[in-house]
Protein backbone atom coordinates (compact mmCIF):
# COMPACT_ATOMS: atom_id res chain seq x y z
CA UNK A 1 0.00 0.00 0.00
CA UNK A 2 1.44 3.36 -0.99
CA UNK A 3 1.66 5.94 1.81
CA UNK A 4 2.42 8.88 -0.48
CA UNK A 5 0.46 12.04 0.33
CA UNK A 6 -0.49 13.07 -3.19
CA UNK A 7 -1.50 16.55 -2.05
CA UNK A 8 2.14 17.25 -1.16
CA UNK A 9 4.06 15.80 -4.11
CA UNK A 10 4.76 17.09 -7.62
CA UNK A 11 3.31 16.11 -10.98
CA UNK A 12 5.92 13.50 -11.96
CA UNK A 13 5.65 11.73 -8.60
CA UNK A 14 1.86 11.60 -8.98
CA UNK A 15 2.07 10.44 -12.62
CA UNK A 16 4.27 7.52 -11.56
CA UNK A 17 2.59 6.48 -8.31
CA UNK A 18 -1.06 7.59 -8.18
CA UNK A 19 -3.62 4.82 -8.46
CA UNK A 20 -1.35 1.86 -7.77
CA UNK A 21 -1.31 0.29 -4.33
CA UNK A 22 1.45 -2.30 -5.03
CA UNK A 23 0.17 -5.79 -5.76
CA UNK A 24 -0.88 -7.26 -2.40
CA UNK A 25 -0.22 -10.87 -3.48
CA UNK A 26 3.38 -10.70 -4.71
CA UNK A 27 4.54 -7.09 -4.31
CA UNK A 28 4.94 -6.54 -8.06
CA UNK A 29 6.38 -3.07 -8.76
CA UNK A 30 4.78 -2.82 -12.21
CA UNK A 31 0.99 -2.86 -12.34
CA UNK A 32 -0.17 -6.45 -13.06
CA UNK A 33 -2.38 -7.05 -16.08
CA UNK A 34 -5.59 -8.65 -14.83
CA UNK A 35 -6.30 -10.34 -18.15
CA UNK A 36 -9.65 -11.85 -17.23
CA UNK A 37 -13.18 -11.33 -18.50
CA UNK A 38 -14.95 -12.41 -15.32
CA UNK A 39 -14.25 -12.61 -11.57
CA UNK A 40 -15.06 -15.35 -9.09
CA UNK A 41 -16.54 -15.08 -5.59
CA UNK A 42 -15.62 -16.83 -2.38
CA UNK A 43 -19.27 -17.84 -1.80
CA UNK A 44 -22.81 -16.84 -2.68
CA UNK A 45 -22.99 -14.16 0.04
CA UNK A 46 -19.79 -12.56 -1.30
CA UNK A 47 -21.30 -12.59 -4.82
CA UNK A 48 -24.51 -10.97 -3.54
CA UNK A 49 -22.56 -8.30 -1.62
CA UNK A 50 -20.44 -7.34 -4.66
CA UNK A 51 -23.37 -7.30 -7.12
CA UNK A 52 -25.56 -5.29 -4.76
CA UNK A 53 -22.74 -2.77 -4.21
CA UNK A 54 -22.61 -3.49 -0.46
CA UNK A 55 -18.87 -4.12 -0.72
CA UNK A 56 -16.47 -2.98 -3.47
CA UNK A 57 -15.33 -5.64 -5.90
CA UNK A 58 -15.15 -6.66 -9.52
CA UNK A 59 -17.66 -8.84 -11.33
CA UNK A 60 -17.01 -8.45 -15.09
CA UNK A 61 -14.30 -6.61 -17.05
CA UNK A 62 -16.75 -4.73 -19.30
CA UNK A 63 -17.89 -2.90 -16.16
CA UNK A 64 -14.49 -2.55 -14.47
CA UNK A 65 -11.11 -4.22 -14.06
CA UNK A 66 -8.34 -3.72 -11.47
CA UNK A 67 -5.67 -2.74 -14.05
CA UNK A 68 -8.06 -0.23 -15.59
CA UNK A 69 -8.90 1.14 -12.11
CA UNK A 70 -5.22 2.04 -11.57
CA UNK A 71 -5.28 4.17 -14.72
CA UNK A 72 -8.64 5.74 -13.80
CA UNK A 73 -7.47 6.70 -10.30
CA UNK A 74 -4.22 8.10 -11.73
CA UNK A 75 -6.14 10.31 -14.16
CA UNK A 76 -8.58 11.56 -11.51
CA UNK A 77 -5.59 12.50 -9.33
CA UNK A 78 -3.70 14.26 -12.15
CA UNK A 79 -6.70 16.22 -13.49
CA UNK A 80 -7.91 17.12 -9.97
CA UNK A 81 -11.26 15.34 -10.42
CA UNK A 82 -13.13 13.11 -7.98
CA UNK A 83 -13.29 10.13 -10.34
CA UNK A 84 -12.54 8.93 -13.87
CA UNK A 85 -13.79 6.30 -16.26
CA UNK A 86 -11.62 4.86 -19.04
CA UNK A 87 -12.81 4.06 -22.57
CA UNK A 88 -11.60 2.08 -25.55
CA UNK A 89 -10.82 5.29 -27.49
CA UNK A 90 -10.98 9.07 -27.21
CA UNK A 91 -14.20 8.96 -29.22
CA UNK A 92 -15.56 6.30 -26.85
CA UNK A 93 -14.88 8.70 -23.97
CA UNK A 94 -16.43 11.71 -25.74
CA UNK A 95 -19.57 9.94 -26.96
CA UNK A 96 -20.06 8.19 -23.62
CA UNK A 97 -19.74 11.47 -21.70
CA UNK A 98 -22.35 13.07 -23.97
CA UNK A 99 -24.71 10.08 -24.05
CA UNK A 100 -24.38 9.66 -20.31
CA UNK A 101 -25.08 13.27 -19.37
CA UNK A 102 -27.65 14.25 -22.02
CA UNK A 103 -31.14 13.13 -22.91
CA UNK A 104 -33.54 13.71 -25.76
CA UNK A 105 -34.67 17.35 -25.94
CA UNK A 106 -31.37 18.74 -24.59
CA UNK A 107 -29.17 21.25 -26.42
CA UNK A 108 -25.36 21.63 -26.70
CA UNK A 109 -23.23 24.65 -27.52
CA UNK A 110 -20.11 23.29 -29.25
CA UNK A 111 -16.88 24.91 -30.43
CA UNK A 112 -16.83 25.34 -34.22
CA UNK A 113 -13.37 23.77 -34.50
CA UNK A 114 -13.36 20.38 -32.84
CA UNK A 115 -11.87 17.03 -33.83
CA UNK A 116 -13.61 15.72 -36.99
CA UNK A 117 -15.33 12.69 -35.41
CA UNK A 118 -16.53 14.82 -32.47
CA UNK A 119 -18.05 17.12 -35.09
CA UNK A 120 -19.87 14.13 -36.65
CA UNK A 121 -21.23 13.07 -33.22
CA UNK A 122 -22.55 16.61 -32.67
CA UNK A 123 -23.75 17.22 -36.25
CA UNK A 124 -25.26 13.83 -37.11
CA UNK A 125 -25.52 11.33 -34.27
CA UNK A 126 -26.89 13.44 -31.39
CA UNK A 127 -29.53 15.21 -33.57
CA UNK A 128 -30.86 11.77 -34.55
CA UNK A 129 -31.55 11.31 -30.80
CA UNK A 130 -33.26 14.72 -30.63
CA UNK A 131 -30.23 16.40 -29.02
CA UNK A 132 -29.48 19.59 -30.93
CA UNK A 133 -26.10 21.34 -31.28
CA UNK A 134 -25.28 24.99 -32.01
CA UNK A 135 -21.70 25.55 -33.25
CA UNK A 136 -19.98 28.78 -32.19
CA UNK A 137 -16.50 30.21 -31.89
CA UNK A 138 -16.04 29.51 -28.17
CA UNK A 139 -13.16 32.01 -27.97
CA UNK A 140 -15.99 34.59 -28.23
CA UNK A 141 -17.67 34.38 -24.79
CA UNK A 142 -20.55 36.66 -25.87
CA UNK A 143 -21.28 34.40 -28.85
CA UNK A 144 -21.38 31.40 -26.50
CA UNK A 145 -23.77 33.17 -24.15
CA UNK A 146 -25.98 34.23 -27.05
CA UNK A 147 -26.23 30.59 -28.18
CA UNK A 148 -27.42 29.35 -24.75
CA UNK A 149 -31.08 28.29 -24.61
CA UNK A 150 -33.34 27.16 -21.76
CA UNK A 151 -32.58 23.52 -22.63
CA UNK A 152 -28.77 23.95 -22.99
CA UNK A 153 -27.09 21.30 -20.86
CA UNK A 154 -23.52 21.22 -22.19
CA UNK A 155 -20.92 23.67 -23.50
CA UNK A 156 -18.23 21.61 -25.22
CA UNK A 157 -14.88 22.78 -26.64
CA UNK A 158 -11.20 22.08 -27.26
CA UNK A 159 -8.57 24.58 -26.22
CA UNK A 160 -6.27 25.03 -28.07
CA UNK A 161 -8.62 23.93 -30.87
CA UNK A 162 -7.65 21.41 -33.53
CA UNK A 163 -6.09 22.51 -35.94
CA UNK A 164 -6.44 26.31 -35.70
CA UNK A 165 -4.98 26.52 -32.14
CA UNK A 166 -7.62 29.06 -31.13
CA UNK A 167 -7.63 29.40 -27.34
CA UNK A 168 -10.89 29.49 -25.36
CA UNK A 169 -11.01 31.11 -21.90
CA UNK A 170 -12.10 28.18 -19.69
CA UNK A 171 -12.78 30.38 -16.63
CA UNK A 172 -14.88 32.90 -18.60
CA UNK A 173 -16.98 30.16 -20.23
CA UNK A 174 -17.37 28.35 -16.90
CA UNK A 175 -18.54 31.62 -15.26
CA UNK A 176 -21.60 31.55 -17.58
CA UNK A 177 -22.89 28.70 -15.40
CA UNK A 178 -23.54 31.21 -12.59
CA UNK A 179 -26.21 32.88 -14.72
CA UNK A 180 -27.38 29.87 -16.72
CA UNK A 181 -27.95 27.05 -14.24
CA UNK A 182 -27.78 23.36 -15.03
CA UNK A 183 -25.07 23.56 -17.70
CA UNK A 184 -21.93 21.43 -17.64
CA UNK A 185 -18.72 22.61 -19.31
CA UNK A 186 -16.85 19.76 -21.02
CA UNK A 187 -13.28 20.34 -22.24
CA UNK A 188 -11.27 18.06 -24.53
CA UNK A 189 -7.79 18.33 -22.96
CA UNK A 190 -6.03 15.94 -25.37
CA UNK A 191 -3.57 18.54 -26.74
CA UNK A 192 -2.34 19.45 -23.26
CA UNK A 193 -2.39 16.61 -20.72
CA UNK A 194 -2.93 17.69 -17.09
CA UNK A 195 0.72 18.80 -16.90
CA UNK A 196 0.03 21.71 -19.27
CA UNK A 197 -3.60 22.54 -18.43
CA UNK A 198 -6.16 21.45 -15.82
CA UNK A 199 -9.61 22.62 -16.98
CA UNK A 200 -11.33 21.60 -13.70
CA UNK A 201 -9.17 24.17 -11.85
CA UNK A 202 -10.78 26.87 -14.02
CA UNK A 203 -14.37 25.79 -13.37
CA UNK A 204 -14.98 23.13 -16.06
CA UNK A 205 -17.04 20.13 -14.92
CA UNK A 206 -15.79 17.32 -17.13
CA UNK A 207 -12.50 16.65 -18.94
CA UNK A 208 -12.18 14.19 -21.83
CA UNK A 209 -9.00 12.86 -23.41
CA UNK A 210 -7.86 10.81 -26.32
CA UNK A 211 -5.34 8.78 -24.30
CA UNK A 212 -4.05 7.55 -27.66
CA UNK A 213 -2.00 10.76 -27.81
CA UNK A 214 0.38 12.24 -25.20
CA UNK A 215 -0.90 10.25 -22.21
CA UNK A 216 0.09 6.87 -23.64
CA UNK A 217 2.67 8.70 -25.71
CA UNK A 218 4.16 5.88 -27.77
CA UNK A 219 1.79 5.60 -30.72
CA UNK A 220 0.80 2.02 -29.97
CA UNK A 221 -2.51 2.18 -28.06
CA UNK A 222 -6.00 3.57 -28.66
CA UNK A 223 -7.74 4.72 -25.48
CA UNK A 224 -9.82 7.44 -23.84
CA UNK A 225 -10.85 8.75 -20.44
CA UNK A 226 -13.47 11.01 -18.85
CA UNK A 227 -12.73 12.81 -15.54
CA UNK A 228 -15.25 14.68 -13.38
CA UNK A 229 -17.30 14.51 -10.20
CA UNK A 230 -17.99 11.10 -8.67
CA UNK A 231 -21.72 11.55 -9.45
CA UNK A 232 -21.18 12.38 -13.13
CA UNK A 233 -18.64 9.60 -13.62
CA UNK A 234 -20.97 7.13 -11.94
CA UNK A 235 -23.77 8.11 -14.34
CA UNK A 236 -21.46 7.94 -17.37
CA UNK A 237 -20.04 4.57 -16.28
CA UNK A 238 -23.38 2.99 -15.57
CA UNK A 239 -25.48 4.55 -18.37
CA UNK A 240 -23.19 4.75 -21.35
CA UNK A 241 -19.65 3.60 -20.82
CA UNK A 242 -18.42 0.07 -20.24
CA UNK A 243 -21.19 -1.29 -18.11
CA UNK A 244 -24.10 -0.99 -20.52
CA UNK A 245 -23.18 0.26 -24.00
CA UNK A 246 -19.76 -1.37 -23.76
CA UNK A 247 -16.73 0.73 -24.68
CA UNK A 248 -14.26 -0.43 -21.99
CA UNK A 249 -10.50 0.02 -22.10
CA UNK A 250 -8.84 -3.42 -22.12
CA UNK A 251 -6.55 -4.40 -19.20
CA UNK A 252 -3.62 -4.76 -21.61
CA UNK A 253 -4.09 -1.24 -23.04
CA UNK A 254 -4.48 0.14 -19.49
CA UNK A 255 -1.15 -1.50 -18.59
CA UNK A 256 0.54 0.05 -21.66
CA UNK A 257 -0.85 3.51 -20.79
CA UNK A 258 0.23 3.24 -17.13
CA UNK A 259 3.70 2.29 -18.40
CA UNK A 260 3.74 5.23 -20.82
CA UNK A 261 2.60 7.65 -18.12
CA UNK A 262 5.65 6.93 -15.95
CA UNK A 263 7.51 9.30 -18.31
CA UNK A 264 4.61 11.67 -19.05
CA UNK A 265 6.20 14.71 -17.42
CA UNK A 266 9.60 14.18 -19.05
CA UNK A 267 8.08 13.65 -22.47
CA UNK A 268 5.55 16.48 -22.42
CA UNK A 269 8.10 19.04 -21.18
CA UNK A 270 10.39 18.08 -24.06
CA UNK A 271 7.52 18.12 -26.62
CA UNK A 272 6.55 21.63 -25.46
CA UNK A 273 10.12 22.97 -25.34
CA UNK A 274 10.88 21.73 -28.86
CA UNK A 275 7.53 23.04 -30.14
CA UNK A 276 8.37 26.51 -28.80
CA UNK A 277 11.77 26.36 -30.57
CA UNK A 278 10.19 25.15 -33.81
CA UNK A 279 7.38 27.73 -33.62
CA UNK A 280 9.97 30.54 -33.34
CA UNK A 281 11.97 29.03 -36.22
CA UNK A 282 8.89 28.73 -38.46
CA UNK A 283 7.74 32.25 -37.59
CA UNK A 284 11.09 33.60 -38.87
CA UNK A 285 10.97 31.54 -42.10
CA UNK A 286 10.46 33.43 -45.39
CA UNK A 287 8.45 30.43 -46.68
CA UNK A 288 5.85 30.65 -43.90
CA UNK A 289 2.85 33.00 -43.95
CA UNK A 290 1.69 32.51 -40.35
CA UNK A 291 2.34 30.26 -37.34
CA UNK A 292 -0.43 29.24 -34.93
CA UNK A 293 1.07 28.29 -31.58
CA UNK A 294 -0.41 29.51 -28.27
CA UNK A 295 3.06 30.27 -26.86
CA UNK A 296 3.75 32.96 -29.50
CA UNK A 297 3.07 36.61 -28.66
CA UNK A 298 1.82 37.06 -32.24
CA UNK A 299 -1.22 34.96 -31.21
CA UNK A 300 -2.48 38.09 -29.36
CA UNK A 301 -5.55 37.39 -27.20
CA UNK A 302 -4.99 33.62 -27.57
CA UNK A 303 -1.51 34.04 -26.05
CA UNK A 304 -2.82 36.16 -23.18
CA UNK A 305 -5.45 33.55 -22.24
CA UNK A 306 -3.00 30.67 -22.77
CA UNK A 307 -0.56 32.34 -20.37
CA UNK A 308 -3.27 32.33 -17.68
CA UNK A 309 -4.61 28.81 -18.09
CA UNK A 310 -1.67 26.82 -19.51
CA UNK A 311 1.11 25.91 -17.14
CA UNK A 312 3.96 27.93 -18.72
CA UNK A 313 4.05 25.33 -21.53
CA UNK A 314 1.96 25.51 -24.69
CA UNK A 315 1.49 21.94 -26.09
CA UNK A 316 3.65 20.15 -28.65
CA UNK A 317 1.26 20.96 -31.51
CA UNK A 318 1.92 23.70 -34.09
CA UNK A 319 -0.11 24.73 -37.12
CA UNK A 320 1.43 26.93 -39.79
CA UNK A 321 0.51 28.28 -43.21
CA UNK A 322 2.78 28.11 -46.23
CA UNK A 323 3.09 31.24 -48.41
CA UNK A 324 1.28 31.41 -51.72
CA UNK A 325 3.49 31.87 -54.82
CA UNK A 326 6.78 30.22 -53.67
CA UNK A 327 8.47 29.42 -57.03
CA UNK A 328 5.06 29.94 -58.68
CA UNK A 329 3.39 27.31 -56.47
CA UNK A 330 0.01 27.63 -54.79
CA UNK A 331 0.03 27.42 -50.98
CA UNK A 332 -1.83 24.10 -51.33
CA UNK A 333 0.98 22.60 -53.44
CA UNK A 334 3.73 24.15 -51.32
CA UNK A 335 2.25 22.50 -48.20
CA UNK A 336 2.03 19.08 -49.87
CA UNK A 337 5.52 19.38 -51.36
CA UNK A 338 7.02 20.43 -48.05
CA UNK A 339 5.61 17.27 -46.42
CA UNK A 340 7.14 15.19 -49.23
CA UNK A 341 10.54 16.90 -48.78
CA UNK A 342 10.76 16.35 -45.02
CA UNK A 343 12.71 13.26 -43.98
CA UNK A 344 12.10 13.08 -40.20
CA UNK A 345 8.39 13.88 -39.64
CA UNK A 346 6.12 11.14 -40.96
CA UNK A 347 3.07 12.11 -43.02
CA UNK A 348 0.39 10.88 -40.64
CA UNK A 349 -2.57 11.97 -38.53
CA UNK A 350 -2.59 11.51 -34.73
CA UNK A 351 -0.25 13.34 -32.39
CA UNK A 352 1.72 13.15 -29.18
CA UNK A 353 4.02 10.33 -30.31
CA UNK A 354 7.83 10.29 -29.90
CA UNK A 355 7.97 10.48 -33.72
CA UNK A 356 7.20 13.84 -35.30
CA UNK A 357 4.04 13.69 -37.43
CA UNK A 358 2.83 16.16 -40.04
CA UNK A 359 -0.48 16.42 -41.87
CA UNK A 360 -2.19 18.75 -44.34
CA UNK A 361 -5.80 19.28 -43.16
CA UNK A 362 -7.05 20.59 -46.56
CA UNK A 363 -6.02 17.39 -48.40
CA UNK A 364 -6.22 14.92 -45.50
CA UNK A 365 -8.35 15.22 -42.32
CA UNK A 366 -10.64 17.96 -43.67
CA UNK A 367 -10.65 16.99 -47.37
CA UNK A 368 -14.39 16.16 -47.20
CA UNK A 369 -15.30 19.37 -45.34
CA UNK A 370 -16.76 21.90 -47.83
CA UNK A 371 -14.23 24.63 -48.75
CA UNK A 372 -16.48 27.41 -47.40
CA UNK A 373 -16.70 25.65 -44.01
CA UNK A 374 -12.90 25.12 -43.96
CA UNK A 375 -12.51 28.85 -44.62
CA UNK A 376 -15.07 29.82 -41.98
CA UNK A 377 -13.22 27.92 -39.24
CA UNK A 378 -9.77 29.10 -40.37
CA UNK A 379 -8.40 26.07 -42.22
CA UNK A 380 -6.54 27.45 -45.24
CA UNK A 381 -5.15 25.55 -48.27
CA UNK A 382 -1.57 26.09 -47.10
CA UNK A 383 -2.05 25.04 -43.46
CA UNK A 384 0.00 22.18 -42.04
CA UNK A 385 -0.44 20.61 -38.59
CA UNK A 386 2.78 19.49 -36.99
CA UNK A 387 3.03 17.23 -33.93
CA UNK A 388 6.54 17.97 -32.67
CA UNK A 389 8.16 14.71 -31.59
CA UNK A 390 10.96 13.88 -29.20
CA UNK A 391 13.74 14.00 -31.80
CA UNK A 392 16.43 16.70 -31.29
CA UNK A 393 14.91 20.09 -32.16
CA UNK A 394 18.16 20.94 -33.97
CA UNK A 395 17.70 17.94 -36.29
CA UNK A 396 14.10 18.92 -37.01
CA UNK A 397 15.21 22.46 -37.89
CA UNK A 398 17.93 21.13 -40.22
CA UNK A 399 15.31 18.93 -41.87
CA UNK A 400 12.96 21.92 -42.38
CA UNK A 401 15.89 23.95 -43.77
CA UNK A 402 16.53 21.37 -46.50
CA UNK A 403 12.81 20.77 -47.15
CA UNK A 404 12.13 24.51 -47.63
CA UNK A 405 15.23 24.94 -49.84
CA UNK A 406 14.10 22.03 -52.06
CA UNK A 407 10.67 23.59 -52.78
C1 LIG B 1 -8.44 16.52 -29.87
C2 LIG B 1 -8.89 15.11 -30.13
N1 LIG B 1 -9.92 14.60 -29.42
C3 LIG B 1 -10.36 13.34 -29.62
C4 LIG B 1 -9.77 12.51 -30.56
C5 LIG B 1 -10.29 11.11 -30.74
O1 LIG B 1 -9.47 10.19 -30.11
P1 LIG B 1 -9.32 8.64 -30.55
O2 LIG B 1 -8.67 8.62 -31.89
O3 LIG B 1 -8.50 8.05 -29.45
O4 LIG B 1 -10.71 8.07 -30.59
C6 LIG B 1 -8.68 12.98 -31.30
C7 LIG B 1 -8.02 12.11 -32.30
O5 LIG B 1 -7.19 12.53 -33.07
C8 LIG B 1 -8.24 14.32 -31.08
O6 LIG B 1 -7.20 14.84 -31.79
Amino acid sequence: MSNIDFKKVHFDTRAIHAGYHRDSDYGALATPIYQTSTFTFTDSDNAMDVFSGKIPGYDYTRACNPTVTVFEEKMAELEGGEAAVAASSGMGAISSALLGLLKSGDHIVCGNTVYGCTDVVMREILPSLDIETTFVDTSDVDAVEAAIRDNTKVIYFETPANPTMTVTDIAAISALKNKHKGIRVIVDNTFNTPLVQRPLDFGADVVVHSVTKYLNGHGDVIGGVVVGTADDINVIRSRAMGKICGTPLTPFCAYMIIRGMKTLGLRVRRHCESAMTLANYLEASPYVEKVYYPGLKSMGKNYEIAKRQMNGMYTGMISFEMKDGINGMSAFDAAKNLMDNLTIPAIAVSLGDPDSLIQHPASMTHVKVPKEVQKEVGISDGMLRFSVGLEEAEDLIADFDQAFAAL
Side-chain angles (χ1 to χ4, degrees):
M1 193 74 181
S2 160
N3 293 320
I4 299 169
D5 180 352
F6 288 110
K7 287 195 177 50
K8 290 195 177 144
V9 296
H10 295 89
F11 184 89
D12 289 354
T13 310
R14 288 185 284 134
I16 292 167
H17 293 285
Y20 183 41
H21 312 291
R22 299 228 174 106
D23 171 35
S24 51
D25 287 341
Y26 301 107
L29 179 69
T31 308
I33 307 172
Y34 287 93
Q35 190 67 26
T36 182
S37 45
T38 196
F39 295 83
T40 61
F41 302 95
T42 50
D43 56 28
S44 58
D45 280 344
N46 177 235
M48 185 164 72
D49 287 349
V50 170
F51 272 93
S52 65
K54 194 169 159 200
I55 59 166
Y58 295 92
D59 52 49
Y60 192 58
T61 281
R62 189 179 70 231
C64 217
N65 174 285
T67 314
V68 178
T69 302
V70 173
F71 165 62
E72 291 173 341
E73 289 184 6
K74 197 183 286 297
M75 280 309 299
E77 176 62 46
L78 293 178
E79 282 288 8
E82 287 174 2
V85 56
S88 55
S89 67
M91 286 316 301
I94 292 164
S95 48
S96 294
L98 295 170
L99 290 173
L101 297 175
L102 293 166
K103 58 179 182 4
S104 146
D106 288 344
H107 172 251
I108 308 176
V109 177
C110 180
N112 62 358
T113 23
V114 288
Y115 175 62
C117 296
T118 307
D119 192 84
V120 174
V121 169
M122 301 280 184
R123 217 174 273 279
E124 295 173 23
I125 296 173
L126 294 180
S128 73
L129 303 171
D130 194 25
I131 298 167
E132 238 189 298
T133 309
T134 305
F135 291 92
V136 294
D137 173 3
T138 50
S139 70
D140 180 346
V141 182
D142 294 338
V144 173
E145 181 158 27
I148 291 174
R149 305 179 188 165
D150 290 345
N151 60 341
T152 303
K153 293 286 156 48
V154 162
I155 302 172
Y156 181 103
F157 56 91
E158 295 171 12
T159 178
N162 181 11
T164 56
M165 308 307 281
T166 311
V167 175
T168 290
D169 188 334
I170 304 169
I173 297 289
S174 300
L176 295 174
K177 293 186 293 177
N178 299 329
K179 212 155 105 193
H180 306 274
K181 303 287 179 202
I183 294 179
R184 284 183 184 81
V185 170
I186 305 183
V187 179
D188 182 332
N189 205 27
T190 301
F191 270 30
N192 309 295
T193 83
L195 177 64
V196 173
Q197 180 174 278
R198 296 212 318 173
L200 302 182
D201 292 348
F202 294 91
D205 302 281
V206 176
V207 169
V208 291
H209 278 280
S210 168
V211 177
T212 313
K213 312 297 182 330
Y214 292 105
L215 290 170
N216 174 61
H218 292 76
D220 48 11
V221 161
I222 298 278
V225 72
V226 187
V227 185
T229 63
D231 284 351
D232 278 354
I233 295 303
N234 196 25
V235 169
I236 294 166
R237 189 191 291 283
S238 49
R239 267 193 72 189
M241 199 70 87
K243 213 165 181 175
I244 304 299
C245 294
T247 58
L249 186 68
T250 65
F252 180 71
C253 286
Y255 162 81
M256 294 285 279
I257 296 160
I258 292 162
R259 188 175 189 269
M261 285 181 71
K262 301 247 180 196
T263 55
L264 180 64
L266 282 174
R267 289 187 286 103
V268 170
R269 279 185 205 95
R270 164 76 169 232
H271 280 294
C272 293
E273 249 174 58
S274 294
M276 192 74 233
T277 306
L278 265 294
N280 281 317
Y281 162 81
L282 290 168
E283 195 162 53
S285 168
Y287 299 92
V288 172
E289 183 66 39
K290 185 157 175 55
V291 180
Y292 301 88
Y293 184 68
L296 291 176
K297 286 204 177 84
S298 55
M299 288 286 280
K301 186 180 128 205
N302 295 282
Y303 170 71
E304 293 306 325
I305 301 166
K307 249 194 336 188
R308 284 205 301 273
Q309 68 189 24
M310 298 174 85
N311 200 4
M313 288 172 274
Y314 300 95
T315 168
M317 299 299 297
I318 302 173
S319 292
F320 62 99
E321 271 170 30
M322 294 298 291
K323 276 198 174 140
D324 211 22
I326 303 166
N327 296 331
M329 253 182 288
S330 67
F332 185 90
D333 287 341
K336 283 179 79 251
N337 290 346
L338 183 80
M339 287 202 298
D340 289 333
N341 292 350
L342 286 164
T343 63
I344 299 175
I347 302 175
V349 293
S350 202
L351 57 113
D353 292 352
D355 312 51
S356 287
L357 307 174
I358 193 158
Q359 73 111 348
H360 180 221
S363 68
M364 293 171 66
T365 47
H366 291 69
V367 70
K368 290 187 184 150
V369 177
K371 271 278 167 244
E372 62 280 7
V373 179
Q374 285 186 27
K375 218 167 156 193
E376 196 184 302
V377 299
I379 297 167
S380 69
D381 274 1
M383 179 180 270
L384 288 160
R385 194 192 75 175
F386 180 30
S387 169
V388 182
L390 299 176
E391 304 94 344
E392 280 289 337
E394 201 180 304
D395 294 339
L396 290 170
I397 287 174
D399 198 22
F400 270 99
D401 277 345
Q402 70 74 27
F404 283 133
L407 281 174

